[in-house]
DNA sequence: TGGTATT
């Protein structure tokens, strides 16, 4: 009985928060004190109930109607298994709603379609509510997030699109404070299966006029995910560490340990006087990759995220979950020599090895990341060769360390830094995606966003992009260091991003 | 010289 009461209390609370009818209810009352409610503990009095029977929430019931009054209204759709008016636990006051379970699932569906919002009971000013109780499903597993809608599309438009796949209980366009659509919506079906069917049929199926890519149909965030998202946003605004690193458990701890290890390496390098932008660049890449891989968010870290093509010599290695032996030349799948040079020599063309000699062990993820850097560098010998020319002297800068746990959130956030912190970069290699762009600028500070402009029609990079730092000094340092930097046949153009309202050509 | 969004 205790369990039964708890269940009812939960269901009631759920429905109270769900319903838009203004029915007040405080959690806790269990309406089991009535003549129609069967005691599930006594087999002799329990009618048989379908295994897939649906518990219905009935709302907008006049408070003078009790179970025996309501029974005739609902009985015409089938045999009632249980009907319970919700009452305040302490005062016994009728709360204006009830739970109803038919013996057969089909009866519930019939009652819902016949009654829900179809008639208004005497004395009420809103129509009766007959719908599955929230306790019937978590809610989240049948609620969809729909993205890439046309901003002109209405609730009805979306309903029409989704109604073929099941019964839609809710359909809401997300709107900003001004009432304009954000181009996305929530659609809630009666069942998980319906929601899944809609995903299967509609996700990516079409591109709405004016939308930048094809329709997105996926399960909506769970409460937990929503909380995480909020935390991330908050942390991002405050420039704090990323809370995502904490719940990742063992992986997060491992990634953090890795980064600490790498930070220690970098510190020893700095003390040895070897620090130069190139070393910082390579180290930053290594950190990125290690962090990304450990979090399982990017199995092939050096694959451009946009553009579709892969730089020559880069084979997008997957980091094996069970490490296999790798040699100094790097990953399985990497040609032993790229561009005619041993990869390691291509990286450190200036003869400076910023890392202490190590004997590579096969199981060391650091080695894997290191190999990844080598591989990446091997594909861009020109870039790396030029670095030593670009910086005959150590430049007047101390590359800012990436702080622990910072990378994921920073990678994911898409926002400008303050004025003077945002760079426009032109003449990027065709193969560069957001990730590569960011890695290139990480040595100069805390990169809060990176974006390579991609032609939507061809999905090809337009060879320019944006990088935002969290402070103007980093941006200036990056300009000094990287403007005119030669990659292959091109030289990077690195300038402050033109403010939106300003009209000055550089 | 940008922006795939979660009641």
């Amino acid at each position: 009985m205790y369990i039964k009461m708890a269940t009812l209390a939960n269901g009631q609370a759920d429905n109270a928060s769900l319903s838009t009818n203004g029915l007040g209810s405080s959690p806790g009352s269990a309406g089991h004190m009535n003549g129609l409610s069967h005691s599930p503990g006594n087999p002799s009095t329990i009618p048989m109930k379908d295994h897939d029977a649906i518990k219905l929430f009935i709302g907008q019931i006049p408070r003078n109607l009790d179970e025996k009054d309501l029974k005739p209204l609902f009985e015409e759709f089938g045999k009632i298994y249980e009907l319970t008016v919700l009452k305040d636990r302490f005062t016994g006051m009728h709360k204006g709603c009830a739970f109803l379970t038919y013996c057969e699932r089909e009866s519930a569906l019939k009652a819902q379609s016949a009654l829900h919002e179809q008639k208004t009971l005497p004395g009420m000013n809103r129509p009766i509510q007959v719908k599955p109780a929230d306790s019937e499903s978590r809610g989240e597993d049948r609620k969809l997030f729909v993205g890439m809608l046309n901003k002109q599309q209405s609730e009805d438009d979306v309903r029409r699109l989704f109604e073929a796949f099941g019964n839609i209980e809710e359909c809401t366009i997300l709107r900003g404070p001004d009432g304009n659509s954000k181009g996305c919506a929530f659609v809630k079906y009666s069942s998980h299966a319906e929601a899944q069917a809609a995903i299967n049929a509609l996700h990516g199926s079409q591109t709405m006029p004016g939308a930048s890519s094809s329709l997105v149909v996926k399960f909506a965030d769970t409460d937990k995910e929503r909380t995480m998202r909020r935390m991330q946003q908050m942390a991002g605004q405050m420039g704090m560490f990323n809370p995502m690193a904490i719940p990742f458990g063992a992986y997060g701890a491992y990634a953090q340990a890795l980064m600490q290890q790498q930070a220690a390496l970098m510190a020893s390098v700095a003390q040895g006087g070897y620090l130069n932008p190139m070393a910082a660049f390579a180290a930053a890449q290594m950190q990125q990759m290690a962090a990304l891989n450990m979090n399982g968010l990017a199995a092939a870290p050096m694959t451009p995220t946009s553009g579709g093509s892969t730089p020559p010599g880069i084979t997008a290695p997957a980091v094996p979950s069970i490490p296999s032996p790798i040699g100094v030349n790097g990953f399985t799948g990497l040609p032993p020599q790229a561009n005619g040079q041993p990869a390691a020599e291509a990286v450190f063309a200036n003869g400076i090895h910023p890392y202490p000699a190590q004997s590579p062990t096969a199981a060391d993820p650091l080695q894997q990341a290191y190999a990844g850097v080598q591989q990446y560098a091997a594909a861009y010998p020109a870039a790396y060769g030029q670095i030593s020319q670009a910086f005959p002297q150590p430049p007047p800068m101390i590359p800012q360390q990436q702080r622990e746990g910072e990378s994921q959130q920073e990678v994911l956030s898409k926002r400008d830094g303050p004025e003077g912190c945002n760079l426009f970069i032109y003449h990027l290699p065709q193969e560069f995606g957001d990730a590569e762009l960011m890695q290139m600028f990480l040595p100069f500070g805390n990169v809060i966003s990176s974006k390579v402009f991609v032609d939507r029609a061809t999905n090809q990079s337009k060879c320019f992009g944006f990088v935002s730092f969290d402070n103007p000094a980093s941006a200036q340092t990056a300009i000094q260091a990287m403007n005119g930097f030669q990659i292959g046949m091109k030289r990077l153009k690195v300038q402050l991003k033109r403010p939106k309202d300003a009209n000055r050509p550089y």
Side-chain angles (χ1 to χ4, degrees):
Chain A
M1 208 47 195
Y2 174 80
I3 292 174
K4 172 72 173 168
M5 286 178 66
T7 303
L8 279 175
N10 286 341
Q12 176 197 354
D14 287 346
N15 280 297
S17 64
L18 197 222
S19 69
T20 53
N21 57 15
L23 281 179
S25 76
S26 57
S29 87
H32 59 285
M33 304 293 284
N34 62 76
L36 279 172
S37 203
H38 300 282
S39 165
N42 183 348
S44 63
T45 61
I46 304 177
M48 292 303 289
K49 183 188 74 162
D50 283 2
H51 193 65
D52 59 355
I54 303 168
K55 182 183 195 172
L56 296 172
F57 170 80
I58 316 294
Q60 295 297 330
I61 304 170
R63 294 179 194 244
N64 60 335
L65 300 187
D66 65 13
E67 283 86 355
K68 70 170 166 21
D69 303 313
L70 294 167
K71 191 180 170 201
L73 174 63
F74 295 107
E75 253 177 354
E76 65 174 287
F77 303 102
K79 190 174 174 192
I80 293 173
Y81 170 75
E82 185 175 33
L83 173 60
T84 308
V85 167
L86 298 182
K87 292 173 179 154
D88 183 273
R89 192 207 309 239
F90 302 109
T91 68
M93 197 175 86
H94 192 302
K95 301 182 79 161
C97 54
F99 286 135
L100 166 64
T101 308
Y102 286 100
C103 295
E104 294 178 17
R105 177 186 179 85
E106 193 56 36
S107 308
L109 296 174
K110 278 196 292 187
Q112 181 181 6
S113 66
L115 297 176
H116 180 61
E117 302 220 312
Q118 294 307 118
K119 62 185 294 185
T120 301
L121 295 176
M124 306 306 288
N125 48 22
R126 290 179 51 96
I128 191 170
Q129 303 290 302
V130 179
K131 56 193 182 186
D134 255 18
S135 58
E136 288 299 273
S137 95
R138 293 201 327 280
E140 307 293 351
D141 66 356
R142 56 197 175 91
K143 181 155 52 181
L144 300 178
F145 173 82
V146 184
M148 290 289 101
L149 288 168
N150 179 316
K151 289 187 169 57
Q152 314 307 108
Q153 282 175 295
S154 69
E155 260 89 358
D156 280 350
D157 294 327
V158 174
R159 270 181 189 276
R160 275 192 283 277
L161 196 56
F162 283 80
E163 65 191 0
F165 307 99
N167 179 50
I168 297 173
E169 289 184 13
E170 278 177 39
C171 176
T172 318
I173 303 274
L174 274 66
R175 298 179 187 279
D178 52 0
N180 293 145
S181 166
K182 291 180 170 178
C184 51
F186 290 113
V187 173
K188 188 163 161 190
Y189 283 102
S190 295
S191 73
H192 177 78
E194 291 167 329
Q196 186 63 62
I199 290 174
N200 295 156
L202 293 177
H203 179 67
S205 65
Q206 56 199 289
T207 300
M208 298 303 174
S212 59
S213 75
S214 62
L215 192 66
V216 171
V217 184
K218 52 194 281 214
F219 287 112
D221 280 358
T222 61
D223 284 353
K224 191 180 281 184
E225 288 164 331
R226 189 154 68 234
T227 304
M228 293 303 287
R229 184 190 300 274
R230 293 221 175 109
M231 287 172 73
Q232 268 186 279
Q233 282 171 353
M234 215 178 301
Q237 282 160 13
M238 294 157 56
M240 294 176 68
F241 70 88
N242 174 14
M244 288 299 278
I246 297 166
F248 274 157
Y251 279 125
Y254 194 27
Q256 281 196 322
L258 269 177
M259 285 189 272
Q260 278 165 358
Q261 214 177 330
Q262 291 162 350
L265 269 178
M266 300 244 334
S268 69
V269 167
Q271 282 167 10
Y274 290 123
L275 193 57
N276 63 35
M278 195 213 75
F281 188 4
Q285 287 185 40
M286 200 166 81
Q287 285 185 300
Q288 273 310 108
M289 286 188 295
L292 286 169
N293 285 330
M294 287 309 102
N295 283 336
L297 291 178
M302 298 322 295
T303 304
T305 52
S306 58
S309 68
T310 299
I314 290 184
T315 50
V319 174
S321 54
I322 301 174
S324 55
I326 48 173
V328 280
N329 274 340
F331 287 92
T332 314
L334 173 69
Q337 297 197 339
N339 300 290
Q341 286 178 297
E345 293 311 309
V347 180
F348 303 115
N350 59 6
I352 294 175
H353 288 251
Y355 299 103
Q358 298 178 343
S359 57
T361 52
D364 185 357
L366 262 179
Q367 271 304 321
Q368 296 184 357
Y370 190 39
V373 172
Q374 293 172 347
Q375 184 179 14
Y376 184 59
Y380 289 100
Y384 283 80
Q386 286 295 327
I387 271 182
S388 54
Q389 296 168 28
F391 304 108
Q393 268 91 40
M397 68 152 193
I398 300 189
Q400 182 180 328
Q401 285 282 324
Q402 180 183 22
R403 288 184 298 249
E404 275 180 32
E406 193 168 58
S407 60
Q408 291 309 326
Q409 174 260 308
E410 300 298 345
V411 171
L412 295 173
S413 76
K414 292 196 166 77
R415 56 195 167 83
D416 264 0
E419 181 82 32
C421 298
N422 310 300
L423 301 182
F424 170 71
I425 298 105
Y426 199 31
H427 299 311
L428 288 167
Q430 178 71 44
E431 299 82 5
F432 264 47
D434 297 352
E436 290 75 19
L437 181 61
M438 186 184 64
Q439 282 155 2
M440 179 181 278
F441 283 85
L442 263 176
F444 310 106
N446 192 20
V447 175
I448 61 176
S449 78
S450 66
K451 190 76 195 167
V452 172
F453 198 105
V454 171
D455 184 299
R456 287 195 168 127
T458 66
N459 222 25
Q460 294 285 302
S461 164
K462 290 189 169 177
C463 297
F464 68 86
F466 304 91
V467 167
S468 297
F469 290 97
D470 64 355
N471 71 85
S474 294
Q476 287 302 326
T477 304
I479 291 172
Q480 294 306 313
M482 298 305 288
N483 188 34
F485 183 76
Q486 188 167 343
I487 299 182
M489 300 301 291
K490 300 197 287 191
R491 283 183 185 275
L492 288 185
K493 179 168 155 183
V494 182
Q495 306 165 327
L496 282 180
K497 177 185 168 185
R498 187 187 300 159
K500 238 186 295 195
D501 42 353
N503 212 8
R504 50 197 151 99
Y506 284 95

